[in-house]
PDB file of all heavy atoms in Angstrom:
ATOM      1  N   GLY A   1       0.771  -1.231   0.000  1.00 44.00           N
ATOM      2  CA  GLY A   1       0.000   0.000   0.000  1.00 44.00           C
ATOM      3  C   GLY A   1       0.805   1.284   0.000  1.00 44.00           C
ATOM      4  O   GLY A   1       0.233   2.356  -0.143  1.00 44.00           O
ATOM      5  N   ILE A   2       2.140   1.216   0.162  1.00 50.00           N
ATOM      6  CA  ILE A   2       2.934   2.440   0.201  1.00 50.00           C
ATOM      7  C   ILE A   2       3.060   3.021  -1.200  1.00 50.00           C
ATOM      8  O   ILE A   2       2.715   4.162  -1.457  1.00 50.00           O
ATOM      9  CB  ILE A   2       4.320   2.159   0.808  1.00 50.00           C
ATOM     10  CG1 ILE A   2       4.159   1.604   2.236  1.00 50.00           C
ATOM     11  CG2 ILE A   2       5.148   3.432   0.826  1.00 50.00           C
ATOM     12  CD1 ILE A   2       3.434   2.515   3.172  1.00 50.00           C
ATOM     13  N   GLY A   3       3.587   2.243  -2.142  1.00 52.00           N
ATOM     14  CA  GLY A   3       3.635   2.677  -3.526  1.00 52.00           C
ATOM     15  C   GLY A   3       4.832   3.551  -3.840  1.00 52.00           C
ATOM     16  O   GLY A   3       5.454   4.171  -2.980  1.00 52.00           O
ATOM     17  N   ASN A   4       5.146   3.580  -5.132  1.00 59.00           N
ATOM     18  CA  ASN A   4       6.307   4.326  -5.583  1.00 59.00           C
ATOM     19  C   ASN A   4       6.060   5.822  -5.617  1.00 59.00           C
ATOM     20  O   ASN A   4       6.991   6.615  -5.483  1.00 59.00           O
ATOM     21  CB  ASN A   4       6.712   3.840  -6.981  1.00 59.00           C
ATOM     22  CG  ASN A   4       8.048   4.391  -7.414  1.00 59.00           C
ATOM     23  OD1 ASN A   4       8.966   4.466  -6.612  1.00 59.00           O
ATOM     24  ND2 ASN A   4       8.161   4.771  -8.675  1.00 59.00           N
ATOM     25  N   ALA A   5       4.808   6.235  -5.804  1.00 58.00           N
ATOM     26  CA  ALA A   5       4.511   7.663  -5.918  1.00 58.00           C
ATOM     27  C   ALA A   5       4.869   8.416  -4.631  1.00 58.00           C
ATOM     28  O   ALA A   5       5.420   9.526  -4.676  1.00 58.00           O
ATOM     29  CB  ALA A   5       3.041   7.869  -6.266  1.00 58.00           C
ATOM     30  N   SER A   6       4.552   7.818  -3.487  1.00 56.00           N
ATOM     31  CA  SER A   6       4.858   8.472  -2.211  1.00 56.00           C
ATOM     32  C   SER A   6       6.366   8.625  -2.031  1.00 56.00           C
ATOM     33  O   SER A   6       6.854   9.682  -1.606  1.00 56.00           O
ATOM     34  CB  SER A   6       4.271   7.662  -1.048  1.00 56.00           C
ATOM     35  OG  SER A   6       2.872   7.538  -1.174  1.00 56.00           O
ATOM     36  N   LEU A   7       7.116   7.574  -2.356  1.00 65.00           N
ATOM     37  CA  LEU A   7       8.572   7.648  -2.244  1.00 65.00           C
ATOM     38  C   LEU A   7       9.145   8.665  -3.219  1.00 65.00           C
ATOM     39  O   LEU A   7      10.047   9.438  -2.876  1.00 65.00           O
ATOM     40  CB  LEU A   7       9.179   6.274  -2.517  1.00 65.00           C
ATOM     41  CG  LEU A   7       9.028   5.221  -1.420  1.00 65.00           C
ATOM     42  CD1 LEU A   7       9.564   3.893  -1.912  1.00 65.00           C
ATOM     43  CD2 LEU A   7       9.744   5.648  -0.156  1.00 65.00           C
ATOM     44  N   ALA A   8       8.606   8.668  -4.449  1.00 69.00           N
ATOM     45  CA  ALA A   8       9.109   9.605  -5.455  1.00 69.00           C
ATOM     46  C   ALA A   8       8.879  11.048  -5.024  1.00 69.00           C
ATOM     47  O   ALA A   8       9.716  11.924  -5.277  1.00 69.00           O
ATOM     48  CB  ALA A   8       8.447   9.337  -6.802  1.00 69.00           C
ATOM     49  N   ALA A   9       7.759  11.306  -4.365  1.00 60.00           N
ATOM     50  CA  ALA A   9       7.480  12.661  -3.900  1.00 60.00           C
ATOM     51  C   ALA A   9       8.493  13.094  -2.839  1.00 60.00           C
ATOM     52  O   ALA A   9       8.953  14.247  -2.822  1.00 60.00           O
ATOM     53  CB  ALA A   9       6.056  12.737  -3.345  1.00 60.00           C
ATOM     54  N   LEU A  10       8.838  12.162  -1.954  1.00 62.00           N
ATOM     55  CA  LEU A  10       9.832  12.485  -0.929  1.00 62.00           C
ATOM     56  C   LEU A  10      11.217  12.699  -1.550  1.00 62.00           C
ATOM     57  O   LEU A  10      11.952  13.622  -1.175  1.00 62.00           O
ATOM     58  CB  LEU A  10       9.895  11.360   0.108  1.00 62.00           C
ATOM     59  CG  LEU A  10       8.639  11.153   0.956  1.00 62.00           C
ATOM     60  CD1 LEU A  10       8.803   9.918   1.845  1.00 62.00           C
ATOM     61  CD2 LEU A  10       8.354  12.378   1.809  1.00 62.00           C
ATOM     62  N   VAL A  11      11.568  11.839  -2.513  1.00 77.00           N
ATOM     63  CA  VAL A  11      12.863  11.967  -3.170  1.00 77.00           C
ATOM     64  C   VAL A  11      12.944  13.265  -3.965  1.00 77.00           C
ATOM     65  O   VAL A  11      14.003  13.891  -4.058  1.00 77.00           O
ATOM     66  CB  VAL A  11      13.123  10.743  -4.074  1.00 77.00           C
ATOM     67  CG1 VAL A  11      14.391  10.934  -4.903  1.00 77.00           C
ATOM     68  CG2 VAL A  11      13.241   9.481  -3.235  1.00 77.00           C
ATOM     69  N   LEU A  12      11.812  13.690  -4.530  1.00 71.00           N
ATOM     70  CA  LEU A  12      11.794  14.939  -5.295  1.00 71.00           C
ATOM     71  C   LEU A  12      12.258  16.111  -4.437  1.00 71.00           C
ATOM     72  O   LEU A  12      13.050  16.954  -4.881  1.00 71.00           O
ATOM     73  CB  LEU A  12      10.378  15.197  -5.822  1.00 71.00           C
ATOM     74  CG  LEU A  12      10.158  16.517  -6.561  1.00 71.00           C
ATOM     75  CD1 LEU A  12      10.984  16.565  -7.830  1.00 71.00           C
ATOM     76  CD2 LEU A  12       8.674  16.703  -6.872  1.00 71.00           C
ATOM     77  N   VAL A  13      11.776  16.148  -3.201  1.00 63.00           N
ATOM     78  CA  VAL A  13      12.170  17.227  -2.292  1.00 63.00           C
ATOM     79  C   VAL A  13      13.652  17.112  -1.932  1.00 63.00           C
ATOM     80  O   VAL A  13      14.373  18.111  -1.877  1.00 63.00           O
ATOM     81  CB  VAL A  13      11.299  17.203  -1.021  1.00 63.00           C
ATOM     82  CG1 VAL A  13      11.740  18.291  -0.049  1.00 63.00           C
ATOM     83  CG2 VAL A  13       9.833  17.373  -1.380  1.00 63.00           C
ATOM     84  N   ALA A  14      14.120  15.871  -1.717  1.00 75.00           N
ATOM     85  CA  ALA A  14      15.499  15.669  -1.288  1.00 75.00           C
ATOM     86  C   ALA A  14      16.506  15.949  -2.401  1.00 75.00           C
ATOM     87  O   ALA A  14      17.690  16.173  -2.121  1.00 75.00           O
ATOM     88  CB  ALA A  14      15.674  14.238  -0.781  1.00 75.00           C
ATOM     89  N   THR A  15      16.053  15.942  -3.662  1.00 79.00           N
ATOM     90  CA  THR A  15      16.985  16.097  -4.784  1.00 79.00           C
ATOM     91  C   THR A  15      16.873  17.462  -5.456  1.00 79.00           C
ATOM     92  O   THR A  15      17.332  17.623  -6.598  1.00 79.00           O
ATOM     93  CB  THR A  15      16.743  14.995  -5.833  1.00 79.00           C
ATOM     94  OG1 THR A  15      15.367  15.071  -6.278  1.00 79.00           O
ATOM     95  CG2 THR A  15      17.002  13.626  -5.255  1.00 79.00           C
ATOM     96  N   LEU A  16      16.295  18.423  -4.792  1.00 72.00           N
ATOM     97  CA  LEU A  16      16.122  19.740  -5.405  1.00 72.00           C
ATOM     98  C   LEU A  16      17.458  20.392  -5.762  1.00 72.00           C
ATOM     99  O   LEU A  16      17.557  21.131  -6.741  1.00 72.00           O
ATOM    100  CB  LEU A  16      15.327  20.651  -4.471  1.00 72.00           C
ATOM    101  CG  LEU A  16      13.837  20.307  -4.280  1.00 72.00           C
ATOM    102  CD1 LEU A  16      13.198  21.257  -3.281  1.00 72.00           C
ATOM    103  CD2 LEU A  16      13.107  20.358  -5.609  1.00 72.00           C
ATOM    104  N   GLY A  17      18.492  20.127  -4.982  1.00 80.00           N
ATOM    105  CA  GLY A  17      19.786  20.742  -5.246  1.00 80.00           C
ATOM    106  C   GLY A  17      20.716  19.916  -6.108  1.00 80.00           C
ATOM    107  O   GLY A  17      21.878  20.284  -6.282  1.00 80.00           O
ATOM    108  N   TRP A  18      20.221  18.793  -6.652  1.00 87.00           N
ATOM    109  CA  TRP A  18      21.070  17.919  -7.451  1.00 87.00           C
ATOM    110  C   TRP A  18      21.192  18.442  -8.880  1.00 87.00           C
ATOM    111  O   TRP A  18      20.362  19.226  -9.356  1.00 87.00           O
ATOM    112  CB  TRP A  18      20.500  16.505  -7.481  1.00 87.00           C
ATOM    113  CG  TRP A  18      20.596  15.765  -6.183  1.00 87.00           C
ATOM    114  CD1 TRP A  18      20.769  16.299  -4.938  1.00 87.00           C
ATOM    115  CD2 TRP A  18      20.511  14.357  -6.009  1.00 87.00           C
ATOM    116  NE1 TRP A  18      20.803  15.310  -3.993  1.00 87.00           N
ATOM    117  CE2 TRP A  18      20.642  14.089  -4.625  1.00 87.00           C
ATOM    118  CE3 TRP A  18      20.339  13.288  -6.855  1.00 87.00           C
ATOM    119  CZ2 TRP A  18      20.603  12.814  -4.092  1.00 87.00           C
ATOM    120  CZ3 TRP A  18      20.301  11.998  -6.345  1.00 87.00           C
ATOM    121  CH2 TRP A  18      20.436  11.769  -4.976  1.00 87.00           C
ATOM    122  N   ASP A  19      22.218  17.947  -9.584  1.00 88.00           N
ATOM    123  CA  ASP A  19      22.352  18.267 -11.003  1.00 88.00           C
ATOM    124  C   ASP A  19      21.410  17.376 -11.811  1.00 88.00           C
ATOM    125  O   ASP A  19      20.982  16.318 -11.338  1.00 88.00           O
ATOM    126  CB  ASP A  19      23.796  18.052 -11.452  1.00 88.00           C
ATOM    127  CG  ASP A  19      24.239  16.611 -11.307  1.00 88.00           C
ATOM    128  OD1 ASP A  19      24.703  16.248 -10.194  1.00 88.00           O
ATOM    129  OD2 ASP A  19      24.110  15.839 -12.277  1.00 88.00           O
ATOM    130  N   PRO A  20      21.054  17.755 -13.051  1.00 88.00           N
ATOM    131  CA  PRO A  20      20.072  16.999 -13.840  1.00 88.00           C
ATOM    132  C   PRO A  20      20.435  15.531 -14.055  1.00 88.00           C
ATOM    133  O   PRO A  20      19.554  14.664 -14.008  1.00 88.00           O
ATOM    134  CB  PRO A  20      20.031  17.766 -15.168  1.00 88.00           C
ATOM    135  CG  PRO A  20      20.425  19.154 -14.809  1.00 88.00           C
ATOM    136  CD  PRO A  20      21.443  19.008 -13.711  1.00 88.00           C
ATOM    137  N   VAL A  21      21.711  15.224 -14.291  1.00 90.00           N
ATOM    138  CA  VAL A  21      22.104  13.842 -14.537  1.00 90.00           C
ATOM    139  C   VAL A  21      21.812  12.974 -13.312  1.00 90.00           C
ATOM    140  O   VAL A  21      21.239  11.876 -13.419  1.00 90.00           O
ATOM    141  CB  VAL A  21      23.598  13.758 -14.913  1.00 90.00           C
ATOM    142  CG1 VAL A  21      24.057  12.297 -14.955  1.00 90.00           C
ATOM    143  CG2 VAL A  21      23.843  14.425 -16.252  1.00 90.00           C
ATOM    144  N   SER A  22      22.154  13.445 -12.130  1.00 91.00           N
ATOM    145  CA  SER A  22      21.911  12.677 -10.904  1.00 91.00           C
ATOM    146  C   SER A  22      20.424  12.488 -10.661  1.00 91.00           C
ATOM    147  O   SER A  22      19.982  11.411 -10.230  1.00 91.00           O
ATOM    148  CB  SER A  22      22.556  13.390  -9.709  1.00 91.00           C
ATOM    149  OG  SER A  22      23.959  13.511  -9.881  1.00 91.00           O
ATOM    150  N   VAL A  23      19.653  13.518 -10.939  1.00 88.00           N
ATOM    151  CA  VAL A  23      18.197  13.420 -10.755  1.00 88.00           C
ATOM    152  C   VAL A  23      17.614  12.369 -11.682  1.00 88.00           C
ATOM    153  O   VAL A  23      16.774  11.543 -11.280  1.00 88.00           O
ATOM    154  CB  VAL A  23      17.535  14.786 -10.993  1.00 88.00           C
ATOM    155  CG1 VAL A  23      16.019  14.655 -11.038  1.00 88.00           C
ATOM    156  CG2 VAL A  23      17.944  15.764  -9.908  1.00 88.00           C
ATOM    157  N   LEU A  24      18.009  12.353 -12.940  1.00 89.00           N
ATOM    158  CA  LEU A  24      17.490  11.380 -13.893  1.00 89.00           C
ATOM    159  C   LEU A  24      17.917   9.965 -13.519  1.00 89.00           C
ATOM    160  O   LEU A  24      17.148   9.010 -13.684  1.00 89.00           O
ATOM    161  CB  LEU A  24      17.975  11.729 -15.297  1.00 89.00           C
ATOM    162  CG  LEU A  24      17.410  13.027 -15.885  1.00 89.00           C
ATOM    163  CD1 LEU A  24      18.068  13.347 -17.213  1.00 89.00           C
ATOM    164  CD2 LEU A  24      15.898  12.915 -16.058  1.00 89.00           C
ATOM    165  N   LEU A  25      19.143   9.798 -13.015  1.00 91.00           N
ATOM    166  CA  LEU A  25      19.589   8.483 -12.552  1.00 91.00           C
ATOM    167  C   LEU A  25      18.717   7.984 -11.401  1.00 91.00           C
ATOM    168  O   LEU A  25      18.329   6.815 -11.366  1.00 91.00           O
ATOM    169  CB  LEU A  25      21.052   8.555 -12.108  1.00 91.00           C
ATOM    170  CG  LEU A  25      22.106   8.740 -13.205  1.00 91.00           C
ATOM    171  CD1 LEU A  25      23.472   8.960 -12.586  1.00 91.00           C
ATOM    172  CD2 LEU A  25      22.119   7.548 -14.146  1.00 91.00           C
ATOM    173  N   MET A  26      18.390   8.869 -10.474  1.00 89.00           N
ATOM    174  CA  MET A  26      17.581   8.481  -9.330  1.00 89.00           C
ATOM    175  C   MET A  26      16.152   8.128  -9.736  1.00 89.00           C
ATOM    176  O   MET A  26      15.605   7.090  -9.329  1.00 89.00           O
ATOM    177  CB  MET A  26      17.580   9.614  -8.298  1.00 89.00           C
ATOM    178  CG  MET A  26      16.665   9.371  -7.103  1.00 89.00           C
ATOM    179  SD  MET A  26      17.090   7.873  -6.154  1.00 89.00           S
ATOM    180  CE  MET A  26      18.583   8.446  -5.314  1.00 89.00           C
ATOM    181  N   PHE A  27      15.532   8.949 -10.568  1.00 86.00           N
ATOM    182  CA  PHE A  27      14.127   8.709 -10.908  1.00 86.00           C
ATOM    183  C   PHE A  27      13.968   7.546 -11.884  1.00 86.00           C
ATOM    184  O   PHE A  27      12.939   6.865 -11.867  1.00 86.00           O
ATOM    185  CB  PHE A  27      13.498   9.986 -11.464  1.00 86.00           C
ATOM    186  CG  PHE A  27      13.037  10.920 -10.395  1.00 86.00           C
ATOM    187  CD1 PHE A  27      13.879  11.902  -9.899  1.00 86.00           C
ATOM    188  CD2 PHE A  27      11.773  10.799  -9.851  1.00 86.00           C
ATOM    189  CE1 PHE A  27      13.466  12.756  -8.896  1.00 86.00           C
ATOM    190  CE2 PHE A  27      11.354  11.645  -8.846  1.00 86.00           C
ATOM    191  CZ  PHE A  27      12.195  12.626  -8.361  1.00 86.00           C
ATOM    192  N   GLY A  28      14.962   7.302 -12.728  1.00 85.00           N
ATOM    193  CA  GLY A  28      14.910   6.098 -13.548  1.00 85.00           C
ATOM    194  C   GLY A  28      14.956   4.852 -12.684  1.00 85.00           C
ATOM    195  O   GLY A  28      14.229   3.879 -12.939  1.00 85.00           O
ATOM    196  N   ALA A  29      15.782   4.871 -11.635  1.00 86.00           N
ATOM    197  CA  ALA A  29      15.879   3.732 -10.726  1.00 86.00           C
ATOM    198  C   ALA A  29      14.605   3.557  -9.913  1.00 86.00           C
ATOM    199  O   ALA A  29      14.153   2.435  -9.677  1.00 86.00           O
ATOM    200  CB  ALA A  29      17.076   3.916  -9.796  1.00 86.00           C
ATOM    201  N   LEU A  30      14.004   4.663  -9.470  1.00 82.00           N
ATOM    202  CA  LEU A  30      12.758   4.563  -8.712  1.00 82.00           C
ATOM    203  C   LEU A  30      11.657   3.928  -9.547  1.00 82.00           C
ATOM    204  O   LEU A  30      10.860   3.120  -9.054  1.00 82.00           O
ATOM    205  CB  LEU A  30      12.319   5.954  -8.236  1.00 82.00           C
ATOM    206  CG  LEU A  30      13.148   6.606  -7.135  1.00 82.00           C
ATOM    207  CD1 LEU A  30      12.618   8.005  -6.843  1.00 82.00           C
ATOM    208  CD2 LEU A  30      13.137   5.768  -5.866  1.00 82.00           C
ATOM    209  N   THR A  31      11.590   4.289 -10.822  1.00 76.00           N
ATOM    210  CA  THR A  31      10.561   3.727 -11.700  1.00 76.00           C
ATOM    211  C   THR A  31      10.753   2.231 -11.890  1.00 76.00           C
ATOM    212  O   THR A  31       9.798   1.451 -11.811  1.00 76.00           O
ATOM    213  CB  THR A  31      10.607   4.431 -13.073  1.00 76.00           C
ATOM    214  OG1 THR A  31      10.428   5.831 -12.894  1.00 76.00           O
ATOM    215  CG2 THR A  31       9.521   3.888 -13.988  1.00 76.00           C
ATOM    216  N   GLY A  32      11.987   1.798 -12.122  1.00 74.00           N
ATOM    217  CA  GLY A  32      12.242   0.383 -12.366  1.00 74.00           C
ATOM    218  C   GLY A  32      12.182  -0.465 -11.119  1.00 74.00           C
ATOM    219  O   GLY A  32      11.663  -1.584 -11.148  1.00 74.00           O
ATOM    220  N   GLY A  33      12.682   0.047  -9.993  1.00 74.00           N
ATOM    221  CA  GLY A  33      12.738  -0.766  -8.776  1.00 74.00           C
ATOM    222  C   GLY A  33      11.393  -1.060  -8.177  1.00 74.00           C
ATOM    223  O   GLY A  33      11.203  -2.096  -7.524  1.00 74.00           O
ATOM    224  N   ALA A  34      10.432  -0.170  -8.391  1.00 70.00           N
ATOM    225  CA  ALA A  34       9.126  -0.341  -7.750  1.00 70.00           C
ATOM    226  C   ALA A  34       8.280  -1.394  -8.432  1.00 70.00           C
ATOM    227  O   ALA A  34       7.466  -2.060  -7.790  1.00 70.00           O
ATOM    228  CB  ALA A  34       8.380   0.999  -7.745  1.00 70.00           C
ATOM    229  N   THR A  35       8.451  -1.564  -9.736  1.00 70.00           N
ATOM    230  CA  THR A  35       7.511  -2.383 -10.503  1.00 70.00           C
ATOM    231  C   THR A  35       7.542  -3.841 -10.081  1.00 70.00           C
ATOM    232  O   THR A  35       6.505  -4.436  -9.774  1.00 70.00           O
ATOM    233  CB  THR A  35       7.830  -2.260 -12.009  1.00 70.00           C
ATOM    234  OG1 THR A  35       7.842  -0.885 -12.373  1.00 70.00           O
ATOM    235  CG2 THR A  35       6.790  -2.994 -12.824  1.00 70.00           C
ATOM    236  N   PHE A  36       8.722  -4.445 -10.056  1.00 72.00           N
ATOM    237  CA  PHE A  36       8.805  -5.871  -9.756  1.00 72.00           C
ATOM    238  C   PHE A  36       8.529  -6.187  -8.293  1.00 72.00           C
ATOM    239  O   PHE A  36       7.821  -7.140  -7.979  1.00 72.00           O
ATOM    240  CB  PHE A  36      10.180  -6.411 -10.155  1.00 72.00           C
ATOM    241  CG  PHE A  36      10.472  -7.774  -9.587  1.00 72.00           C
ATOM    242  CD1 PHE A  36       9.752  -8.873 -10.000  1.00 72.00           C
ATOM    243  CD2 PHE A  36      11.450  -7.948  -8.618  1.00 72.00           C
ATOM    244  CE1 PHE A  36      10.008 -10.131  -9.468  1.00 72.00           C
ATOM    245  CE2 PHE A  36      11.714  -9.192  -8.086  1.00 72.00           C
ATOM    246  CZ  PHE A  36      10.990 -10.288  -8.515  1.00 72.00           C
ATOM    247  N   MET A  37       9.075  -5.392  -7.378  1.00 73.00           N
ATOM    248  CA  MET A  37       8.947  -5.739  -5.960  1.00 73.00           C
ATOM    249  C   MET A  37       7.504  -5.686  -5.478  1.00 73.00           C
ATOM    250  O   MET A  37       7.145  -6.346  -4.505  1.00 73.00           O
ATOM    251  CB  MET A  37       9.822  -4.807  -5.123  1.00 73.00           C
ATOM    252  CG  MET A  37      11.312  -5.103  -5.220  1.00 73.00           C
ATOM    253  SD  MET A  37      11.743  -6.803  -4.786  1.00 73.00           S
ATOM    254  CE  MET A  37      11.354  -6.803  -3.040  1.00 73.00           C
ATOM    255  N   GLY A  38       6.664  -4.899  -6.144  1.00 74.00           N
ATOM    256  CA  GLY A  38       5.253  -4.910  -5.766  1.00 74.00           C
ATOM    257  C   GLY A  38       4.607  -6.259  -5.991  1.00 74.00           C
ATOM    258  O   GLY A  38       3.595  -6.590  -5.359  1.00 74.00           O
ATOM    259  N   SER A  39       5.202  -7.064  -6.882  1.00 81.00           N
ATOM    260  CA  SER A  39       4.654  -8.394  -7.155  1.00 81.00           C
ATOM    261  C   SER A  39       5.036  -9.406  -6.078  1.00 81.00           C
ATOM    262  O   SER A  39       4.374 -10.445  -5.951  1.00 81.00           O
ATOM    263  CB  SER A  39       5.151  -8.893  -8.515  1.00 81.00           C
ATOM    264  OG  SER A  39       4.759  -8.016  -9.549  1.00 81.00           O
TER     265      SER A  39
END
């Protein structure tokens, strides 16, 4: 019931000062990591 959206929202705040490459690396990983483990 937690879901990736809640985590992504928290990470969004934590990565406000990051450079674009680091942000894209993090959000690409969040998208991929959440899908399988929910199963």
Side-chain angles (χ1 to χ4, degrees):
I2 301 301
N4 190 41
S6 301
L7 286 175
L10 294 175
V11 173
L12 176 64
V13 178
T15 58
L16 290 177
W18 290 20
D19 62 273
V21 171
S22 299
V23 170
L24 293 174
L25 290 173
M26 175 60 74
F27 277 91
L30 289 177
T31 302
T35 306
F36 166 67
M37 286 304 293
S39 300

